[in-house]
Amino acid sequence: MSKVTVLNDKLEKAGELDLPSKYAEVNPHNLYLYVKSYLASLRANTAHTKGRSDVSGGGKKPWRQKGRGGARAGSTRTNVWVGGAVAFGPTNERNYFQKVNKKQKRLALERALADKAAKGVLFAVDSLTIESGKTKDANAVIKKLGVKDALIVKDLLDEKTLLAYRNLANCYVVDVTEVNAYLVSVFNAVIMEKSALESITKEG
């Protein structure tokens, strides 16, 4: 069974909590499909080339069809001419959307949490509020745990805590309603408030 490391106010190990056993039994393919869909949705879709119908000019046949000893040509805007169109190039009409249903999103999150717990990098603490709003105090939390980077999950995100964490390149703070399988997977460690963890496990 996957274990969540419980921390005290000094960020020292104070015990363990059990994740629901079904989390570890979720097929990892659900996580793969969700992450693939999430990354696809981030694509800008701005790559675009012009086809023959889009390039201006080329209305007149360059030379007569026969009798001059050269190859036939009907337009100066085909893809073999300088200044012509691009053959089979990308267009911004492509749709990168990949559907993932609600149940699959939930399964992906459960699997992501189970993977983090199995590696011993899923932490639960009573409160992650940084009352001073200072970045150095937020950085001390990450340094204390000795992790490369971390996802900070609060039950209710307050302005002071957001100010403290937002300038740190190695962590990201979110409200419990914003947590998804991609964010859990991409960070080296996940630090959650106990109330936030309870909220997630109750939903399942």
Side-chain angles (χ1 to χ4, degrees):
M1 185 176 287
S2 301
K3 303 279 187 180
V4 181
T5 303
V6 178
L7 306 174
N8 58 23
D9 294 339
K10 296 180 181 178
L11 299 177
E12 298 168 342
K13 185 175 179 179
E16 290 181 333
L17 287 173
D18 291 329
L19 276 180
S21 58
K22 65 175 184 175
Y23 282 24
E25 297 169 3
V26 174
N27 191 323
H29 193 62
N30 291 293
L31 177 57
Y32 162 76
L33 290 176
Y34 179 79
V35 171
K36 185 180 176 186
S37 171
Y38 187 92
L39 292 175
S41 70
L42 298 179
R43 296 189 67 165
N45 197 22
T46 54
H48 184 75
T49 55
K50 291 184 177 181
R52 283 187 62 175
S53 61
D54 303 315
V55 181
S56 62
K60 181 183 177 183
K61 186 174 173 66
W63 49 71
R64 66 181 186 273
Q65 181 80 346
K66 301 171 75 67
R68 64 183 299 275
R72 296 172 291 182
S75 171
T76 59
R77 293 298 179 260
T78 63
N79 60 298
V80 296
W81 283 66
V82 174
V86 174
F88 310 113
T91 68
N92 56 16
E93 295 173 1
R94 182 171 175 181
N95 183 6
Y96 293 104
F97 175 75
Q98 297 179 26
K99 186 178 186 304
V100 176
N101 61 41
K102 188 176 180 181
K103 183 179 180 181
Q104 206 164 32
K105 287 179 183 178
R106 175 67 197 183
L107 290 173
L109 176 59
E110 290 177 358
R111 180 67 198 205
L113 289 170
D115 287 348
K116 282 289 180 280
K119 294 175 184 175
V121 287
L122 179 59
F123 304 99
V125 64
D126 286 330
S127 176
L128 287 166
T129 303
I130 308 294
E131 294 181 0
S132 65
K134 293 183 178 180
T135 300
K136 68 176 183 179
D137 293 336
N139 194 37
V141 174
I142 308 300
K143 283 187 174 180
K144 179 77 173 177
L145 292 176
V147 294
K148 187 173 108 177
D149 52 49
L151 174 68
I152 311 295
V153 183
K154 281 188 59 63
D155 193 24
L156 289 171
L157 183 57
D158 57 282
E159 188 176 352
K160 289 281 189 181
T161 303
L162 177 61
L163 286 172
Y165 279 106
R166 71 179 183 180
N167 282 334
L168 292 176
N170 63 340
C171 69
Y172 186 58
V173 59
V174 293
D175 190 277
V176 67
T177 58
E178 299 176 86
V179 176
N180 60 59
Y182 173 78
L183 289 177
V184 172
S185 299
V186 79
F187 284 93
N188 182 258
V190 179
I191 311 168
M192 311 180 79
E193 289 186 339
K194 286 181 183 177
S195 53
L197 181 61
E198 287 171 6
S199 177
I200 290 173
T201 53
K202 277 181 183 177
E203 285 182 18

